[in-house]
Amino acid sequence: NRQSKIRNFCIIAHIDHGKSTLADRLIEKTGLLTKREMKEQILDNMDLERERGITIKLQATRLVYNKNGEEYILNLIDTPGHVDFTYEVSRSLEACEGAILVVDASQGVEAQTLANVYLAVDQDLEIIPVINKIDLPSARPDEVKREIEDVVGIEAGYAPLISAKEGLNTEQVLDAIVEYVPKPEGDENAPLKALIFDSFYDSYKGAVAYVRIKEGAVKDGDEIMMMSSGKKFEVNEVGYFSPGPRPVDELKAGDVGYITASIKDVKNCRVGDTITKADNPCDKALPGYKKATPMVYCGIYPAEGEKFENIRDALEKLQLNDAALEFEPETSVALGFGFRCGFLGLLHMEIIQQRLDREFDLDIITTSPGVIYKVTKTNGEVLMIQNPSNLPEQSEIEYMEEPVVDARIMIPNEYVGNVMELCQERRGNMINMEYIDDRRLILNYELPLNEVIYDFFDALKSKTRGYGSLDYEFKEYVKSKLEKLDILLNKEVIDAFSLIVHESKAYSRGRMICDRLKEVIPRHMFAIPVQASIGNKVIARETIKALRKDVLSKCYGGDISRKRKLLEKQKEGKKKMRQLGSVEVPQEAFLSVLKYD
Ligand code: GDP
Ligand code: MG
């Protein structure tokens, strides 16, 4: 039957173990694209999108593979590779029956490998291990196989040994997919039940839903209904990607493809939602639907000379394609009109900041990222606070709570001391320590999210020479002694610098921020006191001395081109300045405040 010739699979791997390279090789091996076309089509599809005004997002690609004269349809479903997107990963996995687990033959199993494997196991996927990079002199495939068996707990004896880079043994991967990934099941005649595992916005077609049809069938002209909202739309196209969109008459149970229905906004096309038919709905939605909830917030403001409206337009455009991005207007005394934006995590935040800069060419200032604190007031009212400026008076606060994450950190033995010290310093609580083998172990810590978002990942990397890897998920809100730390420039509180910190950190962070600001704020014609305070108590202070002479006097008599360069540099610097009260502050000041040393 039809379904016996379909395989739906994904590739999971720790970052840099070769997932993208293997995907490219499989695409090439099945003859979908030649090497050159592939370069043109696959690489950098964001750039491509802009240049040609079309959308190619290789979230699900149909490959056709011939095995012993039989044609198989292999649907390769891509999964986001970062801890910020765990929920999205789980929905992509839900669309598959099997997962290729790529493990680097020289690195072995790492934290993200495990995190993804656990998700795949939760979804009951068949996991097929593949050992990659066997071309490397440092490859130790036999050891890594044993590691997979010991740590992941799946059989690995039969794992193909491949080099995705050199295309060595990659057809063994295709064979294994056909052989070991179970065929899809589901009744084609039942009411429609389709899982949205991703969506994107196309300026012509509206929101495009990537779907896995679990039961039933869907075709052009059908009236569909989103189970979470009850909203109805008329289908204008169904099809699959190979790698560009290929319309078909109908998608049926077991298929992976896309549906368009003039849906104006990806918010009506949420990952995890179930699509059914309006006139013959299924009895209940697929389990596990969750609205993406932002965990990290920051303010985004126009830099000097940039328009508020431009930022709003850009955020609206980005949101069309990113249902997890939230924003609302807010005002800051120091920065004027801007937006408070919510993100799934730090990486998500960085992606959006970069896109505002690169794709929209905007000059923005971002305030310190923060988490959502739960504040219980003495009158019993409970507030969720994202912006330190909205914190009630200390006297009105009964207690505060902060989000804590469950973190798994995988490291080589020799760094265990360093990392425990780091976690200790970040107010971590050790839950468990587990040896994987004689070289590596997993530390399981409860860590305040607030501490994780301040450079934790960079600190971990530097304390483990790049070998440490991290995976975390939200656990719970916990009571905590938190305080609002204000920064004053020339005696004025600059609200954009305000932070909520743990009382044990207030003093050191206050000191550090004053230090940093003293370094990055240029001298003015007058002396500028830089202070950190809690309530009305100043806990740290620095002074930026008054400027004595023009900068140019430094190169007296000197050569003219050097002077010109200096002037240009000054001008360049000017562009990125922000007037805060009487003080001009460079944009980098806002970033420098966020960094631990
Ligand atoms: P991903 O992060 O898992 O998608 O990893 P990539 O596919 O981007 O690969 C990460 C790096 O490893 C790239 O520099 C690849 O060229 C390299 N790489 C991938 N496969 C192999 C392989 O089989 N052998 C070697 N030597 N390098 C590889
Ligand atoms: Mg990749």
Side-chain angles (χ1 to χ4, degrees), residues 13-23 102 104 132-136 162-167:
H14 186 79
I15 292 163
D16 281 345
H17 282 204
K19 181 173 110 168
S20 303
T21 311
L22 176 61
V102 179
D104 184 322
N132 188 32
K133 306 198 188 183
I134 58 160
D135 59 295
L136 291 176
I162 70 165
S163 165
K165 190 170 158 194
E166 291 172 3

Side-chain angles (χ1 to χ4, degrees), residues 516-580:
R516 290 276 161 81
L517 289 177
K518 184 186 172 191
E519 267 168 40
V520 296
I521 296 177
R523 290 183 177 195
H524 285 52
M525 300 307 288
F526 48 91
I528 306 166
V530 182
Q531 296 161 305
S533 78
I534 299 246
N536 294 320
K537 194 170 140 225
V538 172
I539 57 166
R541 182 196 165 106
E542 289 285 342
T543 305
I544 300 169
K545 288 196 190 117
L547 190 62
R548 279 176 309 165
K549 279 188 196 125
D550 191 280
V551 191
L552 283 185
S553 63
K554 268 198 222 149
C555 30
Y556 47 88
D559 90 65
I560 192 84
S561 75
R562 191 163 153 222
K563 275 190 188 169
R564 190 175 300 128
K565 256 190 211 139
L566 207 60
L567 274 176
E568 269 161 19
K569 225 169 139 191
Q570 255 186 343
K571 230 166 72 194
E572 183 69 19
K574 263 264 161 28
K575 227 177 59 193
K576 303 243 158 113
M577 291 286 189
R578 223 19 244 241
Q579 188 80 33
L580 301 184

Side-chain angles (χ1 to χ4, degrees), residues 305-330:
E306 187 61 75
K307 288 204 186 76
F308 169 82
E309 287 77 21
N310 294 345
I311 296 182
R312 186 185 54 212
D313 289 350
L315 286 171
E316 276 171 3
K317 287 212 178 84
L318 289 175
Q319 200 178 42
L320 280 177
N321 224 336
D322 185 344
L325 171 65
E326 276 186 8
F327 67 93
E328 58 181 41
E330 72 169 3

Side-chain angles (χ1 to χ4, degrees), residues 491-504:
K491 305 272 161 78
E492 279 177 76
V493 173
I494 306 299
D495 59 353
F497 284 139
S498 294
L499 287 173
I500 292 174
V501 293
H502 189 259
E503 62 171 16
S504 67

